[in-house]
Amino acid sequence: MGDKSVLVIGGGGREHSLCIELSNSPLVAEVHCCPGNAGTRQIATNHNVSVSDIKSIVSLAKRLDVDLVVVGPEGPLCQGLADDLSKLEIPCFGPTSKLANLEGSKLYAKEIMSKVGVPTASYHILSEGSDIDLALDEFSDNPWVVKRDVLAGGKGVVVTSDRSEAKDFIEQSITSDGKVLLEQFLPGEEASMLVVMDGSGFVCLPASQDHKRAYDGDNGPNTGGMGAYCPAPVVTLEVKDKVIKTIIQPMHDYLSSLSTPYRGVLYVGLMITESGVPNVVEFNVRFGDPECQITLPLIKSDVYEILHSASTDKLSSLVVEFYAKHSLTVVLAAEGYPSNPVKGRIINGLTEEELTHAWINHAGTSLNDNGEIISTGGRVLSCSATGDSLEEAAKRAYQLLETIALDGSHYRTDIGHRAL
Ligand code: AMP
Ligand code: GLY
């Protein structure tokens, strides 16, 4: 067994997945997680520290004398966690607050894309006194895409064919944030590419596809993600080459040239046109959730080594290998999710038994006073699996899901439908 210790920040399915991979690394002796969940508790030491309490996280990292901090969510990065850890020379997987703006500010992301020539939708910035109707007229051939310029926890974007809905959202956003983006609608199919990068190089992980709508057939309200699979066939080798050439390489050229380069994972949200041309829809400065849960298990190389190298500008010295397998995860959501999730219900049927090729990623779970696992969030857990084909992975994930009982819960039955 190795002697490294790692602190993972966050308490969702993504962080459980990071804890699983890190605790499986022969280099790692200890995994800590704050605040964690009932799943991370089985393989890591949970610490009752909130992800927004940067000061306490830094003290914890110092006290535990960890070799690496891996940041799950964007919030602490935007608040400057990586900046504070770097002052103490503690390696941090996740960018500085300035670069976290690639997710925190849609306008900053647009400015960088325009500076380095990355393909993305054209846009207007609207503020007090702007002619909103004129701008709406310009993009009236397609649905309108309105984006707030703040971190809005997945509620910052409205895509609508209803002009008055678009106009209302523009006006409300100007009132609350001072400005808003109105963006050209991009038709096509979405995919996510997670790119681990540092000052020395980058590694593209296999592309995946999330399912953001709550119900089957991509209906219902937007969610954090109801399931995902990997690799996504829409990203053919040809498309991947274009993504690297037109998006990743120019972004990396810029991000690695800065005095403090980007260190972490850049989540590139893509819209791929029918003719295979990729455009950037969004950047996130973290692993996607649930994309993380099905991407990390396809990495054959040591995950600790990859994350630590990317935190210390040594990525280019690694050769990262992947399994030629498929993976899929299905999220079990609480009754009422996404608008008003019911929490505090007991989850039955969670097996401790080791299953071949299928496992549970805990998300909104914790233990009650009787030691029973209860739901504490909207996305409660997800069932994940790998297989030699996507069909096989889907079958295994759904079989596992059917053994779990949570009153009122719901899940999508069509994860992977675009590829299956
Ligand atoms: P974002 O938070 O920027 O990822 O936007 C949320 C969702 O809105 C995306 O996953 C897309 O489904 C959709 N979206 C965002 N921008 C566009 C666009 N320019 N054209 C079409 N759909 C978009
Ligand atoms: N699953 C989408 C996200 O993590 O932003």
Side-chain angles (χ1 to χ4, degrees):
M1 181 144 113
D3 59 357
K4 304 299 180 196
S5 72
V6 193
L7 174 61
V8 175
I9 313 302
R14 168 182 49 211
E15 289 75 22
H16 187 204
S17 154
L18 284 161
C19 287
I20 292 173
E21 297 301 327
L22 289 165
S23 65
N24 283 338
S25 163
L27 300 173
V28 173
E30 277 175 39
V31 182
H32 297 267
C33 190
C34 67
N37 57 37
T40 63
R41 195 177 171 276
Q42 294 166 2
I43 46 173
T45 307
N46 282 354
H47 298 267
N48 192 13
V49 175
S50 153
V51 297
S52 58
D53 185 355
I54 300 296
K55 234 174 120 183
S56 300
I57 294 174
V58 174
S59 308
L60 181 65
K62 207 168 138 189
R63 179 166 66 75
L64 296 170
D65 192 22
V66 293
D67 298 283
L68 175 67
V69 175
V70 179
V71 188
E74 66 282 8
L77 294 168
C78 291
Q79 280 182 49
L81 178 56
D83 311 61
D84 290 356
L85 289 169
S86 103
K87 286 180 202 144
L88 298 175
E89 296 185 5
I90 301 173
C92 174
F93 186 82
T96 56
S97 58
K98 180 180 167 220
L99 295 179
N101 269 326
L102 285 170
E103 174 165 0
S105 163
K106 302 274 185 201
L107 190 52
Y108 177 76
K110 287 288 194 193
E111 282 164 4
I112 300 297
M113 282 190 267
S114 137
K115 188 176 176 135
V116 306
V118 162
T120 185
S122 60
Y123 64 100
H124 287 296
I125 307 164
L126 303 173
S127 57
E128 196 66 47
S130 297
D131 191 337
I132 298 174
D133 280 307
L134 191 70
L136 288 169
D137 286 346
E138 187 176 329
F139 292 134
S140 62
D141 292 346
N142 284 301
W144 289 281
V145 181
V146 187
K147 296 189 174 181
R148 289 182 64 192
D149 193 37
V150 292
L151 272 186
K155 297 200 172 63
V157 178
V158 163
V159 181
T160 178
S161 301
D162 178 342
R163 189 177 175 117
S164 62
E165 191 192 352
K167 193 167 178 180
D168 285 351
F169 190 64
I170 290 172
E171 285 170 346
Q172 283 161 21
S173 305
I174 292 175
T175 306
S176 61
D177 315 329
K179 59 179 175 309
V180 69
L181 273 73
L182 177 67
E183 192 173 290
Q184 169 204 12
F185 178 84
L186 298 167
E189 188 169 337
E190 282 183 83
S192 314
M193 177 96 94
L194 300 172
V195 187
V196 178
M197 59 168 73
D198 69 5
S200 74
F202 64 84
V203 176
C204 297
L205 306 184
S208 57
Q209 204 165 48
D210 187 12
H211 299 62
K212 289 201 172 148
R213 300 292 183 144
Y215 312 130
D216 283 3
D218 292 326
N219 290 307
N222 236 339
T223 71
M226 293 296 288
Y229 66 99
C230 185
V234 63
V235 182
T236 58
L237 277 180
E238 202 189 339
V239 171
K240 185 181 168 189
D241 281 349
K242 282 187 204 156
V243 173
I244 292 177
K245 205 161 141 225
T246 65
I247 299 166
I248 314 295
Q249 188 68 60
M251 283 302 289
H252 183 260
D253 288 346
Y254 173 71
L255 293 171
S256 61
S257 72
L258 304 170
S259 57
T260 305
Y262 191 101
R263 299 183 184 118
V265 59
L266 184 68
Y267 171 125
V268 184
L270 297 164
M271 187 70 83
I272 298 153
T273 64
E274 226 172 295
S275 53
V277 178
N279 274 272
V280 174
V281 169
E282 65 167 337
F283 287 129
N284 293 321
V285 296
R286 52 172 174 82
F287 285 109
D289 187 341
E291 291 93 327
C292 183
Q293 289 88 310
I294 39 97
T295 307
L296 293 187
L298 296 187
I299 302 178
K300 196 171 177 185
S301 306
D302 190 275
V303 169
Y304 172 83
E305 200 173 22
I306 297 171
L307 304 186
H308 186 267
S309 299
S311 311
T312 50
D313 288 334
K314 296 197 184 81
L315 198 56
S316 63
S317 63
L318 290 188
V319 176
V320 177
E321 291 184 285
F322 300 95
Y323 294 110
K325 292 208 176 272
H326 297 258
S327 56
L328 182 141
T329 193
V330 189
V331 170
L332 184 73
E335 178 175 353
Y337 178 76
S339 58
N340 205 5
V342 179
K343 299 177 189 170
R345 287 193 176 149
I346 292 171
I347 308 163
N348 287 305
L350 291 173
T351 172
E352 295 269 323
E353 197 186 318
E354 290 271 321
L355 290 165
T356 329
H357 312 300
W359 65 96
I360 293 166
N361 288 115
H362 285 247
T365 65
S366 87
L367 292 188
N368 67 11
D369 294 342
N370 300 328
E372 295 158 315
I373 298 180
I374 56 164
S375 61
T376 56
R379 291 191 289 178
V380 178
L381 53 82
S382 72
C383 292
S384 312
T386 54
D388 289 327
S389 64
L390 185 61
E391 286 83 352
E392 190 175 47
K395 195 169 154 213
R396 287 172 172 161
Y398 277 106
Q399 262 171 1
L400 178 59
L401 188 63
E402 276 151 26
T403 65
I404 297 169
L406 169 65
D407 274 357
S409 61
H410 61 99
Y411 61 87
R412 278 184 61 161
T413 64
D414 64 349
I415 301 302
H417 67 95
R418 278 202 191 80
L420 282 169

